[in-house]
Amino acid sequence: MQSYSPFSKALRDLQSADLQYLKQASEGWYIEYKREVPNASALAKALSAFANTYGGWLFLGVQEESKESPVAGSFPGISKDEVDPALQRMRKSAADSLNPTPHFETCVLWGPDASIDLAQDRAVICAWIPQSVTAPHVHKSGHIYRRVADSSEPRPENDRFVLDQLWRRADAIKRHHKEWYDQDPEFSEREEELPYVRLMLVADRWAERDVWLEESEDEVRALLSEPAGVSAIPFDTVHTSSDGFIARQLKGNDPQNLTLTWRLRRDLTSDVIIPLPLYQRDRPENLSIDLNGYEYAENFMGVLGKYTTSTLRVVDLNYLFNILIGVAGIQDRLCELAGWKESYFLKVKVLNAWRNMLFIDVQEIIQRFDKFGPPMCLDSVAHLPRGTGPESYVEISRHSDMDNETARMLVQSLLMFHPLAVLFGVPSWIPHDDNDTVTPYHEALQGAGRRAIEVQRRRNSQSTR
């Protein structure tokens, strides 16, 4: 969503000298100047008014020239001791006085700067508030404030038509998410019988932040084609599309098939399509060929042998967790490339999974299958979280405070794994006991993934003999 800015650069790139552009920018629809830090209620009024109208900028430590000429006249700044309390007051006032809390971003520009006469140990606080699609933001006084052209002060809104427009502002973004949810990949006739996982990843789910991947095709290709994190899923084929990039794993695969695919848009919205191996046999014992090399294959076939069946369709989920670690690694690097410092959001869909049983080569999972019966997908298409709107996603924290990259990727991948585990009917977590008799779940899942790679390697070796 594009919005007005008095500057020719992003907020994060501003320097104190850029404030001189405010000498031609008048207070009104998009800008408000405050010489001192207002009280909490006034801050909340200003923030909500911008969010409810067209978005805008609030500057603390700037004096307007005059009422007749309401441009920035001087930059007295805020004292060093007041800056942190002012930022905290702004955040707290928005959280405590407004419902819902609008999004805004801040930066602090320090003196000394002779070009604008900003003194040493004085600072101007800049706050950018985008137009909000979650409007109206209601003040704790019960009023809904908006900006008006002829006044720097927000005014309560009581026009029913305007209020209706505010309530309906999110309709377009909700339709966008619903259309995106409905856009499953196109399958060939053979692929319609095969199971897939679709990961829907988005950074700015409400489309308020103008996040954009500006890098060149070669820079994006280098990121997607290099191993990422503790589990490498490099894409050997990366090319442009109408709205971004398509990355695929084609080495050793027929390019006509829907292989592991990442569709990346410039706004950091992604579809990741993960094909799942499917084994079809008429009797449990005949699965031994497909599962040869797995540590707990015999236990799994023993579980299936308890049930009378004419046809078995078994989905091999052993690759899945390691692929998710690789997805988390690439997504984290894409966020860094686009300058996105916050969480991203996830929705998962399972496609073509009707009446499929599941196999994960983890002892504790097989034991649960033996005790409670093997799970089976009873829906051809399933998704989590429920719903299709922008609020219906799992938040994936990037844990930027963690220095260990491996640990960060594991935490993100476990958050990705949770909704898939729920959909497939497998444990989303197995507690690790103090006696080390149970392998930590993430290590067990990674071990199953390594065995899956070895099983596939043997299978490929035998097929070439």
Side-chain angles (χ1 to χ4, degrees):
M1 181 185 299
Q2 297 297 320
S3 58
Y4 168 80
S5 174
F7 309 107
S8 59
K9 58 180 68 173
L11 177 73
R12 63 178 177 271
D13 298 324
L14 290 181
Q15 299 184 15
S16 57
D18 295 315
L19 293 173
Q20 62 185 311
Y21 291 108
L22 300 181
K23 294 181 178 181
Q24 286 80 45
S26 298
E27 273 193 329
W29 286 108
Y30 303 103
I31 289 177
E32 182 168 358
Y33 299 125
K34 293 291 185 185
R35 179 187 178 94
E36 307 291 342
V37 181
N39 61 42
S41 179
L43 280 171
K45 285 169 58 176
L47 295 172
S48 64
F50 280 125
N52 286 334
T53 315
Y54 301 119
W57 296 75
L58 174 63
F59 297 96
L60 306 183
V62 178
Q63 174 69 52
E64 65 180 346
E65 186 174 287
S66 66
K67 293 299 181 183
E68 294 73 25
S69 178
V71 298
S74 62
F75 301 88
I78 306 297
S79 68
K80 182 178 181 180
D81 294 340
E82 290 184 275
V83 170
D84 283 342
L87 293 170
Q88 293 175 22
R89 185 187 303 177
M90 193 177 297
R91 298 290 177 191
K92 193 172 189 307
S93 67
D96 293 349
S97 301
L98 300 176
N99 186 25
T101 303
H103 170 78
F104 63 93
E105 298 177 31
T106 60
C107 76
V108 179
L109 303 178
W110 289 96
D113 193 316
S115 67
I116 57 172
D117 293 326
L118 182 62
Q120 177 81 33
D121 291 336
R122 306 284 291 186
V124 171
I125 298 175
C126 311
W128 171 64
I129 308 96
Q131 184 186 60
S132 174
V133 295
T134 57
H137 299 275
V138 184
H139 193 272
K140 67 178 181 180
S141 65
H143 290 120
I144 295 172
Y145 289 98
R146 297 182 73 241
R147 302 292 296 180
V148 293
D150 60 349
S151 173
S152 64
E153 291 296 325
R155 294 180 181 175
E157 182 59 66
N158 55 17
D159 185 290
R160 177 59 186 269
F161 174 77
V162 174
L163 293 175
D164 285 347
Q165 293 298 104
L166 288 173
W167 284 111
R168 291 162 50 188
R169 189 181 285 178
D171 289 353
I173 191 67
K174 290 179 179 178
R175 284 195 299 270
H176 167 76
H177 280 270
K178 178 62 167 62
E179 291 168 359
W180 181 30
Y181 169 86
D182 290 336
Q183 290 174 353
D184 289 331
E186 297 183 32
F187 297 114
S188 66
E189 185 174 346
R190 187 184 72 87
E191 289 167 347
E192 289 178 348
E193 300 296 320
L194 302 177
Y196 291 83
V197 165
R198 178 188 176 195
L199 305 179
M200 300 168 62
L201 299 167
V202 59
D204 183 15
R205 55 184 172 156
W206 288 102
E208 293 179 318
R209 306 279 296 279
D210 290 335
V211 58
W212 196 253
L213 194 63
E214 297 179 349
E215 279 64 27
S216 68
E217 178 184 349
D218 286 344
E219 290 174 295
V220 176
R221 177 179 289 111
L223 187 152
L224 290 167
S225 61
E226 293 177 0
V230 294
S231 180
I233 55 165
F235 292 90
D236 51 72
T237 300
V238 181
H239 58 84
T240 58
S241 66
S242 60
D243 56 0
F245 306 90
I246 295 178
R248 303 178 67 198
Q249 278 194 349
L250 294 185
K251 186 176 181 180
N253 296 302
D254 184 340
Q256 295 294 323
N257 294 336
L258 182 57
T259 61
L260 182 63
T261 302
W262 192 307
R263 296 183 66 102
L264 169 66
R265 299 173 189 160
R266 289 276 187 181
D267 63 359
L268 220 58
T269 299
S270 294
D271 265 305
V272 182
I273 308 299
I274 306 172
L276 301 175
L278 176 68
Y279 311 130
Q280 301 186 70
R281 298 293 176 182
D282 56 355
R283 296 176 61 83
E285 55 266 27
N286 293 339
L287 277 171
S288 59
I289 299 173
D290 303 304
L291 304 184
N292 182 35
Y294 282 116
E295 188 171 349
Y296 303 105
E298 186 175 342
N299 304 65
F300 178 66
M301 288 186 290
V303 171
L304 297 183
K306 296 180 179 181
Y307 302 89
T308 302
T309 179
S310 57
T311 304
L312 283 172
R313 291 170 56 88
V314 176
V315 178
D316 188 338
L317 294 182
N318 290 291
Y319 291 98
L320 188 56
F321 185 70
N322 280 11
I323 290 177
L324 294 179
I325 298 175
V327 169
I330 291 175
Q331 178 68 12
D332 198 69
R333 290 163 58 185
L334 286 170
C335 288
E336 286 294 325
L337 202 61
W340 184 263
K341 304 297 184 183
E342 302 173 29
S343 302
Y344 56 92
F345 298 86
L346 166 77
K347 185 182 293 295
V348 301
K349 292 184 75 173
V350 176
L351 308 172
N352 306 339
W354 184 70
R355 301 294 170 85
N356 292 334
M357 292 186 176
L358 315 161
F359 172 61
I360 301 182
D361 197 38
V362 173
Q363 184 179 25
E364 290 74 22
I365 292 179
I366 304 301
Q367 289 174 344
R368 292 191 180 207
F369 289 180
D370 188 36
K371 183 176 181 180
F372 303 112
M376 176 181 285
C377 297
L378 298 180
D379 298 306
S380 180
V381 177
H383 73 275
L384 271 181
R386 305 294 294 176
T388 60
E391 73 286 347
S392 65
Y393 288 76
V394 175
E395 180 177 0
I396 307 294
S397 173
R398 296 177 58 207
H399 292 280
S400 301
D401 55 331
M402 297 175 63
D403 295 330
N404 188 312
E405 182 183 5
T406 298
R408 288 175 57 227
M409 297 307 103
L410 282 173
V411 171
Q412 293 180 42
S413 56
L414 283 168
L415 290 171
M416 291 182 179
F417 180 72
H418 175 76
L420 284 166
V422 173
L423 288 175
F424 282 120
V426 301
S428 58
W429 184 251
I430 294 176
H432 172 53
D433 63 10
D434 296 332
N435 297 321
D436 292 330
T437 58
V438 177
T439 303
Y441 197 28
H442 68 276
E443 292 183 12
L445 291 170
Q446 287 180 277
R450 288 190 291 270
R451 290 190 290 277
I453 294 172
E454 180 61 22
V455 167
Q456 186 61 48
R457 189 194 65 79
R458 291 179 184 176
R459 191 175 296 149
N460 292 341
S461 177
Q462 292 173 356
S463 65
T464 57
R465 291 177 183 175

